Amino acid sequence: MVHAEPVSRRLWSDWFFERVPLPPAVLGALIAAALIGLLALLAEATGAFDRLAVRNLAWWQSRDGRIAVVVSLLLGTLPAALRYHELGTRRNLDALASANLWPGGLPAPLRRATSGNPRAAIACGLSGFLLIPLIAYTVDRDASLYFTARYWWLGPIWTWIVGSLVTFTGGIHIYRVFTDARIFARLARALPEVDLLDREALLPFARQGLLSAVPGVIFVTFFALNLGDAGFVLAAALLGSAVLVQNATALLIPMRGVHERLRAAKRDEIARVNAAIRGEAAALHGSPLAHREPPGLADLLAWRAFVEAVPEWPIDVSTLGRFAVYVGIPVLGWIGAALVQHVLDRALG
């Protein structure tokens, strides 16, 4: 089989990483470490440590101090996550281009240099600024706090400034996730046919779906660090629900088109087999059985049972379950710790 030439795409993040030749994970760790180091220096210089010591609180025990550290970790993580998303998307598109699924020529989404509109991505990032006051209000429940001098010490100031950068980067990331997911959905619907006997060529659609669910997992994992704080219950419920919906949507969009094509292919093949069982002439035209000796009734029944058992999604339920377990372990760990803390607090008064 002659494969189509893989697509070479110019990514948005290529410009930066060509000038900063570091692995994304290393760069993210350096950004987070630098931010936390700067936060510690500012805390020492402004007397924030002394302010908490008077209240017999360590930095991590302070809500504002803890959130300041969390947003620093997020700001280091999200650029690396965006880079890995773009690299993973390119690998999945290259795999589809090499699989020769479109004999008549590559569809337009595979021939374009990149996807999405930079202005739309920036607009989506800017809209993320609204999350900062929303989260703050669901935690504090008192907007008048933001107009008092005692509220604005180092922790909140750092959270609002660095958090704005986090939501901006996160907004761009979410834009890329859903833009790329829609591209895969269009590619799936443009498939001329699918092979029920070999679904391996469709795995890039499943990999893209799993890749699209990563941003929400990252956010929930870090946000779960605050579950031990009773003030975060409402914020956790609202944002957790929103992230679950976003993750489910981002997971399904790249695979839904393939699901529709697989279901249609199964329906057509079962209809052909049923027609052959009824004895209709040329009923198996277009079926894999058409190129063999005329099958008997037992063979037709066995083939129909096989086709009915073919999964209608490009990912197995067991694989999806393992993914959910792996990414859920950190979140479940923090939730368990928060529950233990609440139980101990109530038991000890």
Side-chain angles (χ1 to χ4, degrees):
M1 177 184 294
V2 178
H3 294 293
E5 186 67 22
V7 178
S8 177
R9 305 173 88 73
R10 180 74 178 173
L11 303 176
W12 292 359
S13 57
D14 283 344
W15 182 90
F16 178 81
F17 280 92
E18 287 170 355
R19 289 157 178 77
V20 184
L22 291 174
V26 173
L27 178 65
L30 290 176
I31 292 174
L35 287 171
I36 293 175
L38 177 60
L39 177 62
L41 290 175
L42 291 174
E44 183 67 30
T46 61
F49 285 138
D50 296 333
R51 172 178 175 169
L52 294 177
V54 171
R55 299 163 55 192
N56 293 322
L57 291 177
W59 184 270
W60 189 255
Q61 292 174 309
S62 166
R63 173 188 295 172
D64 294 327
R66 183 173 60 251
I67 298 175
V69 174
V70 170
V71 296
S72 301
L73 294 173
L74 278 171
L75 189 56
T77 302
L78 283 175
L82 177 58
R83 175 62 173 176
Y84 283 126
H85 171 81
E86 291 192 332
L87 292 175
T89 300
R90 179 162 59 182
R91 283 194 297 270
N92 291 331
L93 290 172
D94 286 346
L96 290 176
S98 300
N100 200 29
L101 295 173
W102 297 270
L106 294 179
L110 287 179
R111 291 186 275 106
R112 281 201 298 266
T114 187
S115 63
N117 185 331
R119 291 184 179 180
I122 292 174
C124 189
L126 293 174
S127 68
F129 289 161
L130 297 175
L131 276 178
I132 297 299
L134 175 62
I135 296 175
Y137 181 76
T138 56
V139 173
D140 298 319
R141 316 281 182 86
D142 185 3
S144 64
L145 284 175
Y146 312 136
F147 300 96
T148 60
R150 63 184 177 85
Y151 176 82
W152 295 102
W153 65 287
L154 176 62
I157 293 173
W158 182 274
T159 297
W160 282 68
I161 294 175
V162 178
S164 296
L165 298 176
V166 169
T167 56
F168 177 76
T169 308
I172 292 176
H173 196 165
I174 291 173
Y175 172 83
R176 287 308 307 264
V177 164
F178 281 97
T179 299
D180 295 334
R182 288 195 297 268
I183 285 177
F184 278 80
R186 290 199 297 270
L187 288 171
R189 293 187 177 94
L191 286 170
E193 60 182 13
V194 293
D195 188 352
L196 296 176
L197 295 175
D198 182 13
R199 297 185 303 124
E200 185 176 355
L202 303 177
L203 287 179
F205 293 98
R207 288 197 292 264
Q208 187 66 25
L210 296 176
L211 182 67
S212 300
V214 170
V217 172
I218 293 173
F219 179 82
V220 170
T221 300
F222 282 103
F223 196 75
L225 291 169
N226 295 294
L227 288 177
D229 189 335
F232 271 85
V233 173
L234 178 60
L238 293 176
L239 290 177
S241 300
V243 170
L244 286 176
V245 173
Q246 172 192 304
N247 265 22
T249 305
L251 178 67
L252 292 177
I253 288 177
M255 297 189 290
R256 183 171 177 80
V258 176
H259 166 67
E260 293 172 354
R261 296 307 312 277
L262 284 169
R263 184 170 57 181
K266 285 182 58 176
R267 184 172 57 246
D268 293 343
E269 183 63 19
I270 291 173
R272 284 192 286 263
V273 174
N274 288 337
I277 292 175
R278 291 193 299 266
E280 297 182 14
L284 294 178
H285 178 71
S287 170
L289 299 180
H291 305 290
R292 304 179 181 180
E293 293 294 328
L297 178 59
D299 295 328
L300 290 173
L301 294 175
W303 174 247
R304 186 176 65 182
F306 172 82
V307 172
E308 290 174 343
V310 172
E312 295 183 357
W313 292 90
I315 186 172
D316 295 329
V317 175
S318 59
T319 302
L320 185 59
R322 286 194 298 271
F323 173 80
V325 170
Y326 294 152
V327 301
I329 286 175
V331 179
L332 293 176
W334 292 120
I335 292 175
L339 290 175
V340 170
Q341 180 175 337
H342 284 306
V343 170
L344 290 177
D345 289 343
R346 287 183 176 276
L348 299 176

mmCIF file of all heavy atoms in Angstrom, residues 14-36:
data_model
loop_
_atom_site.group_PDB
_atom_site.id
_atom_site.type_symbol
_atom_site.label_atom_id
_atom_site.label_comp_id
_atom_site.label_asym_id
_atom_site.label_seq_id
_atom_site.Cartn_x
_atom_site.Cartn_y
_atom_site.Cartn_z
ATOM 1 N N ASP A 14 5.953 26.451 18.160
ATOM 2 C CA ASP A 14 7.267 26.181 17.577
ATOM 3 C C ASP A 14 8.187 27.395 17.696
ATOM 4 O O ASP A 14 9.382 27.266 17.970
ATOM 5 C CB ASP A 14 7.125 25.784 16.100
ATOM 6 C CG ASP A 14 6.640 24.354 15.937
ATOM 7 O OD1 ASP A 14 6.710 23.595 16.925
ATOM 8 O OD2 ASP A 14 6.188 24.003 14.843
ATOM 9 N N TRP A 15 7.622 28.585 17.458
ATOM 10 C CA TRP A 15 8.445 29.795 17.483
ATOM 11 C C TRP A 15 9.153 29.938 18.824
ATOM 12 O O TRP A 15 10.353 30.238 18.886
ATOM 13 C CB TRP A 15 7.573 31.023 17.223
ATOM 14 C CG TRP A 15 8.344 32.311 17.194
ATOM 15 C CD1 TRP A 15 8.920 32.919 16.121
ATOM 16 C CD2 TRP A 15 8.631 33.157 18.325
ATOM 17 N NE1 TRP A 15 9.549 34.082 16.498
ATOM 18 C CE2 TRP A 15 9.392 34.250 17.846
ATOM 19 C CE3 TRP A 15 8.316 33.094 19.676
ATOM 20 C CZ2 TRP A 15 9.841 35.270 18.682
ATOM 21 C CZ3 TRP A 15 8.779 34.102 20.517
ATOM 22 C CH2 TRP A 15 9.521 35.172 20.013
ATOM 23 N N PHE A 16 8.435 29.706 19.924
ATOM 24 C CA PHE A 16 9.020 29.880 21.250
ATOM 25 C C PHE A 16 10.022 28.779 21.563
ATOM 26 O O PHE A 16 11.139 29.053 22.025
ATOM 27 C CB PHE A 16 7.920 29.907 22.306
ATOM 28 C CG PHE A 16 8.432 30.036 23.709
ATOM 29 C CD1 PHE A 16 8.792 31.267 24.220
ATOM 30 C CD2 PHE A 16 8.565 28.914 24.517
ATOM 31 C CE1 PHE A 16 9.268 31.392 25.517
ATOM 32 C CE2 PHE A 16 9.047 29.030 25.810
ATOM 33 C CZ PHE A 16 9.402 30.269 26.312
ATOM 34 N N PHE A 17 9.657 27.520 21.318
ATOM 35 C CA PHE A 17 10.524 26.417 21.724
ATOM 36 C C PHE A 17 11.723 26.261 20.809
ATOM 37 O O PHE A 17 12.684 25.583 21.181
ATOM 38 C CB PHE A 17 9.714 25.119 21.793
ATOM 39 C CG PHE A 17 8.909 24.992 23.058
ATOM 40 C CD1 PHE A 17 7.603 25.427 23.117
ATOM 41 C CD2 PHE A 17 9.479 24.460 24.199
ATOM 42 C CE1 PHE A 17 6.859 25.333 24.279
ATOM 43 C CE2 PHE A 17 8.748 24.356 25.376
ATOM 44 C CZ PHE A 17 7.439 24.790 25.417
ATOM 45 N N GLU A 18 11.702 26.866 19.634
ATOM 46 C CA GLU A 18 12.912 26.909 18.816
ATOM 47 C C GLU A 18 13.949 27.845 19.428
ATOM 48 O O GLU A 18 15.148 27.663 19.236
ATOM 49 C CB GLU A 18 12.566 27.362 17.400
ATOM 50 C CG GLU A 18 11.844 26.304 16.585
ATOM 51 C CD GLU A 18 11.308 26.851 15.272
ATOM 52 O OE1 GLU A 18 11.428 28.077 15.043
ATOM 53 O OE2 GLU A 18 10.789 26.049 14.488
ATOM 54 N N ARG A 19 13.495 28.847 20.173
ATOM 55 C CA ARG A 19 14.398 29.795 20.812
ATOM 56 C C ARG A 19 14.728 29.408 22.251
ATOM 57 O O ARG A 19 15.717 29.896 22.805
ATOM 58 C CB ARG A 19 13.760 31.196 20.775
ATOM 59 C CG ARG A 19 13.746 31.765 19.369
ATOM 60 C CD ARG A 19 12.686 32.837 19.187
ATOM 61 N NE ARG A 19 12.730 33.409 17.839
ATOM 62 C CZ ARG A 19 12.244 32.801 16.767
ATOM 63 N NH1 ARG A 19 11.697 31.606 16.879
ATOM 64 N NH2 ARG A 19 12.329 33.365 15.577
ATOM 65 N N VAL A 20 13.884 28.585 22.835
ATOM 66 C CA VAL A 20 14.145 28.062 24.182
ATOM 67 C C VAL A 20 14.168 26.538 24.075
ATOM 68 O O VAL A 20 13.161 25.871 24.329
ATOM 69 C CB VAL A 20 13.061 28.525 25.176
ATOM 70 C CG1 VAL A 20 13.396 28.062 26.594
ATOM 71 C CG2 VAL A 20 12.911 30.036 25.142
ATOM 72 N N PRO A 21 15.302 25.972 23.680
ATOM 73 C CA PRO A 21 15.357 24.524 23.391
ATOM 74 C C PRO A 21 15.384 23.677 24.657
ATOM 75 O O PRO A 21 16.373 23.037 24.998
ATOM 76 C CB PRO A 21 16.655 24.386 22.588
ATOM 77 C CG PRO A 21 17.525 25.493 23.100
ATOM 78 C CD PRO A 21 16.596 26.635 23.435
ATOM 79 N N LEU A 22 14.256 23.674 25.366
ATOM 80 C CA LEU A 22 14.111 22.853 26.569
ATOM 81 C C LEU A 22 12.900 21.956 26.416
ATOM 82 O O LEU A 22 11.916 22.342 25.764
ATOM 83 C CB LEU A 22 13.918 23.737 27.808
ATOM 84 C CG LEU A 22 15.105 24.572 28.283
ATOM 85 C CD1 LEU A 22 14.670 25.486 29.423
ATOM 86 C CD2 LEU A 22 16.250 23.677 28.746
ATOM 87 N N PRO A 23 12.923 20.762 27.003
ATOM 88 C CA PRO A 23 11.705 19.943 27.022
ATOM 89 C C PRO A 23 10.588 20.711 27.732
ATOM 90 O O PRO A 23 10.842 21.412 28.712
ATOM 91 C CB PRO A 23 12.123 18.699 27.808
ATOM 92 C CG PRO A 23 13.608 18.648 27.688
ATOM 93 C CD PRO A 23 14.064 20.075 27.625
ATOM 94 N N PRO A 24 9.353 20.597 27.254
ATOM 95 C CA PRO A 24 8.250 21.351 27.871
ATOM 96 C C PRO A 24 8.118 21.114 29.367
ATOM 97 O O PRO A 24 7.850 22.049 30.128
ATOM 98 C CB PRO A 24 7.023 20.857 27.111
ATOM 99 C CG PRO A 24 7.544 20.415 25.785
ATOM 100 C CD PRO A 24 8.904 19.852 26.063
ATOM 101 N N ALA A 25 8.301 19.869 29.805
ATOM 102 C CA ALA A 25 8.172 19.582 31.236
ATOM 103 C C ALA A 25 9.238 20.304 32.045
ATOM 104 O O ALA A 25 8.970 20.824 33.138
ATOM 105 C CB ALA A 25 8.251 18.073 31.471
ATOM 106 N N VAL A 26 10.464 20.344 31.516
ATOM 107 C CA VAL A 26 11.552 21.040 32.219
ATOM 108 C C VAL A 26 11.269 22.534 32.276
ATOM 109 O O VAL A 26 11.451 23.188 33.310
ATOM 110 C CB VAL A 26 12.897 20.765 31.521
ATOM 111 C CG1 VAL A 26 14.008 21.604 32.138
ATOM 112 C CG2 VAL A 26 13.245 19.285 31.612
ATOM 113 N N LEU A 27 10.818 23.091 31.154
ATOM 114 C CA LEU A 27 10.489 24.510 31.133
ATOM 115 C C LEU A 27 9.379 24.830 32.132
ATOM 116 O O LEU A 27 9.456 25.819 32.877
ATOM 117 C CB LEU A 27 10.065 24.934 29.731
ATOM 118 C CG LEU A 27 9.638 26.403 29.589
ATOM 119 C CD1 LEU A 27 10.813 27.323 29.863
ATOM 120 C CD2 LEU A 27 9.062 26.666 28.205
ATOM 121 N N GLY A 28 8.340 24.009 32.166
ATOM 122 C CA GLY A 28 7.253 24.233 33.110
ATOM 123 C C GLY A 28 7.726 24.167 34.549
ATOM 124 O O GLY A 28 7.324 24.988 35.387
ATOM 125 N N ALA A 29 8.600 23.198 34.853
ATOM 126 C CA ALA A 29 9.123 23.080 36.213
ATOM 127 C C ALA A 29 9.968 24.298 36.581
ATOM 128 O O ALA A 29 9.897 24.791 37.715
ATOM 129 C CB ALA A 29 9.951 21.802 36.340
ATOM 130 N N LEU A 30 10.749 24.801 35.633
ATOM 131 C CA LEU A 30 11.577 25.983 35.899
ATOM 132 C C LEU A 30 10.701 27.214 36.137
ATOM 133 O O LEU A 30 10.992 28.027 37.025
ATOM 134 C CB LEU A 30 12.534 26.229 34.733
ATOM 135 C CG LEU A 30 13.669 25.210 34.564
ATOM 136 C CD1 LEU A 30 14.486 25.517 33.315
ATOM 137 C CD2 LEU A 30 14.561 25.212 35.799
ATOM 138 N N ILE A 31 9.639 27.370 35.332
ATOM 139 C CA ILE A 31 8.739 28.510 35.516
ATOM 140 C C ILE A 31 8.094 28.449 36.901
ATOM 141 O O ILE A 31 8.056 29.454 37.635
ATOM 142 C CB ILE A 31 7.666 28.539 34.422
ATOM 143 C CG1 ILE A 31 8.297 28.852 33.057
ATOM 144 C CG2 ILE A 31 6.590 29.572 34.743
ATOM 145 C CD1 ILE A 31 7.327 28.758 31.899
ATOM 146 N N ALA A 32 7.590 27.276 37.273
ATOM 147 C CA ALA A 32 6.941 27.136 38.573
ATOM 148 C C ALA A 32 7.925 27.383 39.709
ATOM 149 O O ALA A 32 7.596 28.075 40.694
ATOM 150 C CB ALA A 32 6.322 25.740 38.695
ATOM 151 N N ALA A 33 9.144 26.842 39.592
ATOM 152 C CA ALA A 33 10.144 27.038 40.640
ATOM 153 C C ALA A 33 10.531 28.508 40.761
ATOM 154 O O ALA A 33 10.692 29.032 41.877
ATOM 155 C CB ALA A 33 11.377 26.179 40.347
ATOM 156 N N ALA A 34 10.691 29.189 39.619
ATOM 157 C CA ALA A 34 11.050 30.607 39.653
ATOM 158 C C ALA A 34 9.945 31.438 40.289
ATOM 159 O O ALA A 34 10.213 32.354 41.091
ATOM 160 C CB ALA A 34 11.339 31.103 38.233
ATOM 161 N N LEU A 35 8.701 31.122 39.964
ATOM 162 C CA LEU A 35 7.582 31.871 40.543
ATOM 163 C C LEU A 35 7.488 31.649 42.052
ATOM 164 O O LEU A 35 7.282 32.605 42.819
ATOM 165 C CB LEU A 35 6.278 31.461 39.869
ATOM 166 C CG LEU A 35 6.074 31.959 38.436
ATOM 167 C CD1 LEU A 35 4.839 31.307 37.812
ATOM 168 C CD2 LEU A 35 5.914 33.481 38.412
ATOM 169 N N ILE A 36 7.619 30.408 42.489
ATOM 170 C CA ILE A 36 7.543 30.131 43.927
ATOM 171 C C ILE A 36 8.723 30.771 44.660
ATOM 172 O O ILE A 36 8.567 31.305 45.773
ATOM 173 C CB ILE A 36 7.489 28.615 44.168
ATOM 174 C CG1 ILE A 36 6.169 28.051 43.620
ATOM 175 C CG2 ILE A 36 7.627 28.284 45.644
ATOM 176 C CD1 ILE A 36 6.053 26.544 43.702
#
